[in-house]
Amino acid sequence: MDRNFHKQTLKTSSKKSAARELVDSFPQAEKDAWEAQLQRAAERLKQRYSHIPFYAARAKNNPGYWRDLASSEVNA
């Protein structure tokens, strides 16, 4: 393995990800619309699943749980 492999890995991981750069390039109106959509999805998930102990416990430990869940790949 190349000696500089780990140095390169550290260097590239400290840069912004390509996905983050893409999101940063979106117009503010699109970002706002996406955030509003995420908030609506988070509210729907909260209404649907908050009575289930598994989800309730996770939400209790993480204030942003419903938004995180809404933005996860599972709910895409």
Side-chain angles (χ1 to χ4, degrees), residues 5-76:
F5 175 76
H6 295 294
K7 288 180 183 177
Q8 274 298 78
T9 303
L10 289 174
K11 189 184 291 185
T12 57
S13 65
S14 65
K15 293 180 182 178
K16 281 186 174 180
S17 70
R20 174 53 48 199
E21 288 178 6
L22 178 64
V23 169
D24 289 346
S25 71
F26 290 164
Q28 189 60 42
E30 280 189 51
K31 291 179 190 177
D32 293 343
W34 176 247
E35 186 60 36
Q37 182 179 347
L38 274 178
Q39 291 298 342
R40 288 190 303 271
E43 189 58 36
R44 283 192 305 272
L45 288 169
K46 183 177 180 180
Q47 289 173 357
R48 184 174 293 167
Y49 296 110
S50 63
H51 70 282
I52 299 171
F54 172 83
Y55 294 105
R58 288 177 172 231
K60 182 179 177 183
N61 294 332
N62 179 1
Y65 177 73
W66 298 111
R67 187 188 180 287
D68 294 346
L69 185 61
S71 64
S72 70
E73 188 173 335
V74 172
N75 291 298

